[in-house]
Amino acid sequence: MSKKTPILTVVGAGPGDEDLITLKAIKAIEAADVILYDALINEALLKYASKDAELIFVGKRKGCYAFQQEQINELIVAKAKEKGHVVRLKGGDPFIFGRGAEEIDFVRQFGLETFVVPGISSSVAAPAYQGIPLTKRGASESFWVITGTTKKHQISSDVALAAKSTATVVILMGMSKLDEIVTIFSAENKQNTAIAIIQNGTREDEKVGIGTIETIQDIVAQKELSSPAIIVIGDVVKERAVLSRIYSEAKEA
């Protein structure tokens, strides 16, 4: 049994681009005795781990469950008591549909010290990399971030509420519900509203489809877009700027 204080640090790994992780997150990874990491993180980040750290893949994404959530919770406690500092490395931000709060609630029952390192969420980073401003004067005054699929595998009722607003709507984990999303927005006479679907946002294999509510299903089929992807709906998609990856180009030069 370890004499180290059992600690859990829930760390946001960012949206995918390795450079979009924070310095505080890197320091947590370097200090970890055990790292439990998800399927959506960039595994290049594991190079910051100590050579003595135990790395455990607990992949969670649609159709890929190496561990159930209850098993992950129990594993965190067991490893923290055995080895000390456990880092739970999650894609994006751990408190935005990342279940980080649930894991903290569970482990506190067992006396673990808990910390959180925020991460950059794909909900804002992926549109930004595509030159889509979620808010812009004259186009959008606010934005919603919604999960497309609830715990019961149904579409969130908030999508229908958001469709009635003038806000930008960002839907995570919504590709399997795209047909329903289109139906909901069409019912609000928003067939001509702009929509973007960004697959693997901020990564080298990023793909994007731009269209309207009326055309997006055909575009998804043509471009063979699939999960993991985020959906951005609203006039801001028409404000999309053509961006050059200046920093990347400079490194290559």
Side-chain angles (χ1 to χ4, degrees), residues 7-13 28-29 32-41 43 46 49 53-60 66-91 94 98 103 106-107 112:
I7 296 170
L8 167 65
T9 303
V10 180
V11 176
I29 293 170
D33 297 306
V34 181
I35 298 174
L36 276 59
Y37 64 97
D38 277 349
L40 291 178
I41 73 147
E43 292 191 18
L46 298 176
E54 182 179 2
L55 308 180
I56 304 173
F57 174 71
V58 291
K60 291 181 69 212
F67 288 80
Q68 296 296 324
Q69 186 61 52
E70 293 76 13
Q71 293 174 302
I72 293 172
N73 293 345
E74 293 169 1
L75 187 60
I76 291 170
V77 174
K79 288 297 180 181
K81 290 189 173 183
E82 177 190 351
K83 295 192 173 182
H85 186 192
V86 173
V87 160
R88 182 73 174 92
L89 193 58
K90 294 172 168 289
E103 292 173 353
F106 180 85
V107 305
L112 272 67

Side-chain angles (χ1 to χ4, degrees), residues 38-140:
D38 277 349
L40 291 178
I41 73 147
N42 187 332
E43 292 191 18
L45 297 173
L46 298 176
K47 69 187 178 187
Y48 296 108
S50 162
K51 63 179 177 62
D52 297 320
E54 182 179 2
L55 308 180
I56 304 173
F57 174 71
V58 291
K60 291 181 69 212
R61 65 196 298 179
K62 184 178 179 181
C64 174
Y65 291 92
F67 288 80
Q68 296 296 324
Q69 186 61 52
E70 293 76 13
Q71 293 174 302
I72 293 172
N73 293 345
E74 293 169 1
L75 187 60
I76 291 170
V77 174
K79 288 297 180 181
K81 290 189 173 183
E82 177 190 351
K83 295 192 173 182
H85 186 192
V86 173
V87 160
R88 182 73 174 92
L89 193 58
K90 294 172 168 289
D93 180 274
F95 277 11
I96 299 180
F97 305 121
R99 304 187 77 169
E102 295 176 38
E103 292 173 353
I104 286 173
D105 287 344
F106 180 85
V107 305
R108 279 180 173 169
Q109 304 172 69
F110 299 89
L112 272 67
E113 292 186 20
T114 57
F115 303 90
V116 178
V117 179
I120 298 175
S121 172
S122 63
S123 63
V124 293
Y129 261 46
Q130 280 296 322
I132 299 172
L134 294 186
T135 62
K136 186 176 181 181
R137 283 191 293 182
S140 176

